[in-house]
Amino acid sequence: MTTGHDPAAGGRPGPEAEAESVPAPVRVVVIGAGKVAHAAHLREIRDLPHLIRPVAVIDPDPAHRAAVTAGFPRVAVCTTPEEAVWAGATAALVLSPWWTHRDPVIGCLDAGLPVLCEKPVSLDPAEIDELIAAELRTGVPVTAGYMKRHDPVVQLFIEHCREHAATARRIAVDIHDPNAPHLVDHLVPYPPPPFGPQPPPAEAALARALGPGASALQRDVYARGLGGSLIHQVNIVHAALDGSGRELYGNLEHSSQWAGGSAVSCRWRPDDDLVVEASHLRLPAHRRYRETLEFTATDSVATLSLPSPYARDEGATLHIDTWDAGTGLSTRRTHQAGPARIGFREQLRAWTRSVSWIPNPGPRPAPRPGIWPLPGLREVRADALAVREAALRLT
C-alpha cells in the first residue's frame, strides 16, 4: 500500500500569489446579506480584493445592510439591480433565500449583470424554466452556487468516477449535519434567525413547487434535507455520471424519512449495474459536520470526505484504493487540499475569471476537460427534478 499527497491539490499557490495583470476587481452587487453571505461569501471576498469588490447591497433588512456597509466602505445601498448598475456593479451575487431568487435574478439579467446565485437556485421546475428563458433572452449567464464542485479534490473524485463509469456499481452519500448555531453564529455580525418552521413565503413557494397534494412533512423535507442539503451531492453525482447515459430522475426506487423528517434517505437505480444511495441526518448535538461520498467500481473504491462548508482550517480528503486480484497487492492514493483551497473561495475565483477580462493571466494549470465549466441552470433543473421526485414519493 502506498500513500501520497497530491501537490496539485494542496501545495500549489493560489491566484493571489500569481503574477497577473487584472484591470480591476469584478464589482458586484450583493443581493441578500444574510447568514450565508456573511458566513461564507463576504468572508472570502475580504481575502480576494484583487478579484472581487462589493459596490452595492440590496436587502430589505436594515441590520443586514448595515453589516455590509460597516465591513466594506463606500458600498451603496440600492433597491433594484438597475440602481446597482448606476453604483458601478458589473455582476451580481444573489445570496437571499431560494424562494426569493426569481425576481432579482431576472432583474439582474435584464440589467446585463451576470449572476452567481446561491443554491438551491430554485426548487420549482416551472420557475427554473422561467430563469432559463430569461438567460436565453438576455444572453447573460447565471452560475449556480454549487461551491463544492470547485473544490480541487472534489474535481479529482468526479474525474475518477467518470474514468471508471463502465464498472461503477454503487455511489453512496452519507451526511451528518448538526445544522446548529455553533457552526456559523460566530461568523455572522448579528443574531441569526432560529431554526424553526418555514416562513409563509417559503411555504407558498414549496406548495407551488410540489403541488397541492404534497403534505406539510414532504414540503419541509424538500426544503431542508433534500433541497437544502442533498441537492449539492445530487449535483456531484450528476457530474460524475455525465456522459454515461445514466440519470437519477425517473429511476427512484424509494425515498423515506424518519425522526420527524430530520433524517431522509433516497435510492436510485439508473441501470441494472448501478445503485445510488444518499442520506442526510440532521443531528444538532453533534459537534462536527461529516460528509462522505463513496464510489465503488469492480476494481477500485474512491472515498471522499468533506468538512463543514464553513470550515477554513480543514480541507477535503480523497482516498483511492485499487487492487490486483491476481497478486493481492493493493494501492492507496491520497489527495488532500490545503486549508485555503475550499469551495467558496475556489468558486469565486472561477466565477470572477468567467466574467472579467484578464489580458495576462499568468501561469495557471490547464483546466481538466469537462470539470471546470461553471454549473448552470440546466444542471439546476436536473438536480431539482431528482430531489422533487424524492420528496413527492416520501414515505
Side-chain angles (χ1 to χ4, degrees):
M1 179 179 291
T2 62
T3 302
H5 181 76
D6 181 34
R12 185 177 66 226
E16 67 267 54
E18 298 169 359
E20 61 181 30
S21 174
V22 182
V26 174
R27 301 183 303 276
V28 297
V29 52
V30 176
I31 302 178
K35 179 176 71 175
V36 173
H38 287 283
H41 297 271
L42 293 172
R43 190 164 58 135
E44 298 303 329
I45 286 173
R46 289 187 184 94
D47 290 344
L48 301 171
H50 62 297
L51 292 182
I52 184 169
R53 179 167 64 89
V55 297
V57 59
I58 298 174
D59 193 297
D61 191 314
H64 293 191
R65 298 194 301 265
V68 175
T69 56
F72 296 91
R74 297 183 297 280
V75 169
V77 175
C78 301
T79 58
T80 66
E82 290 81 2
E83 288 182 13
V85 171
W86 282 103
T90 59
L93 294 173
V94 177
L95 310 178
S96 55
W98 75 266
W99 61 89
T100 68
H101 286 168
R102 177 193 175 277
D103 290 347
V105 170
I106 292 177
C108 287
L109 299 184
D110 287 336
L113 296 173
V115 174
L116 171 60
C117 184
E118 250 300 331
K119 69 85 192 171
V121 174
S122 177
L123 295 176
D124 185 344
E127 191 170 272
I128 297 169
D129 288 341
E130 285 188 78
L131 298 180
I132 291 173
E135 186 181 50
L136 290 172
R137 172 175 54 81
T138 61
V140 181
V142 177
T143 297
Y146 289 124
M147 48 78 184
K148 296 177 193 285
R149 283 275 299 279
H150 300 279
D151 186 304
V153 177
V154 175
Q155 292 173 350
L156 290 172
F157 175 78
I158 292 172
E159 281 183 347
H160 178 85
C161 295
R162 290 180 177 181
E163 290 169 2
H164 295 264
T167 61
R169 294 296 175 262
R170 180 173 177 261
I171 302 175
V173 176
D174 185 35
I175 300 175
H176 294 183
D177 186 358
N179 195 19
H182 69 268
L183 290 180
V184 296
D185 279 10
H186 61 293
L187 303 173
V188 182
Y190 48 79
F195 186 92
Q198 298 288 330
E203 281 287 354
L206 289 164
R208 291 193 300 271
L210 290 178
S215 68
L217 182 62
Q218 286 174 315
R219 292 195 299 269
D220 191 58
V221 173
Y222 188 40
R224 289 182 165 142
L226 288 169
S229 182
L230 278 178
I231 200 165
H232 256 309
Q233 291 71 30
V234 165
N235 181 261
I236 292 174
V237 171
H238 275 146
L241 297 179
D242 187 45
S244 70
R246 292 157 163 161
E247 302 288 343
L248 297 186
Y249 176 62
N251 294 298
L252 181 74
E253 285 197 333
H254 70 77
S255 173
S256 60
Q257 64 78 29
W258 64 101
S262 63
V264 61
S265 179
C266 312
R267 177 186 173 101
W268 292 271
R269 191 165 179 175
D271 60 27
D272 287 343
D273 293 327
L274 177 66
V275 165
V276 177
E277 297 175 308
S279 295
H280 178 272
L281 284 68
R282 181 176 180 265
L283 301 163
H286 283 217
R287 298 306 299 168
R288 295 175 66 84
Y289 175 97
R290 190 183 80 180
E291 176 178 337
T292 305
L293 288 84
E294 185 175 81
F295 172 86
T296 303
T298 56
D299 60 353
S300 68
V301 174
T303 306
L304 174 67
S305 300
L306 292 165
S308 165
Y310 300 107
R312 299 176 77 182
D313 58 347
E314 299 178 73
T317 300
L318 173 63
H319 298 300
I320 298 178
D321 297 303
T322 57
W323 52 89
D324 186 310
T327 64
L329 295 177
S330 64
T331 301
R332 164 165 285 194
R333 287 180 290 141
T334 297
H335 306 270
Q336 292 179 304
R341 308 289 294 187
I342 62 174
F344 281 115
R345 180 169 296 196
E346 297 306 307
Q347 176 180 253
L348 287 172
R349 285 175 173 152
W351 180 65
T352 53
R353 284 198 298 268
S354 77
V355 298
S356 63
W357 177 61
I358 303 177
N360 181 23
R364 295 184 188 276
R368 301 182 180 99
I371 297 293
W372 288 100
L374 299 173
L377 290 176
R378 283 167 178 77
E379 290 189 49
V380 168
R381 191 177 194 279
D383 302 335
L385 287 175
V387 294
R388 180 178 182 272
E389 182 180 39
L392 289 173
R393 288 178 53 184
L394 206 63
T395 59

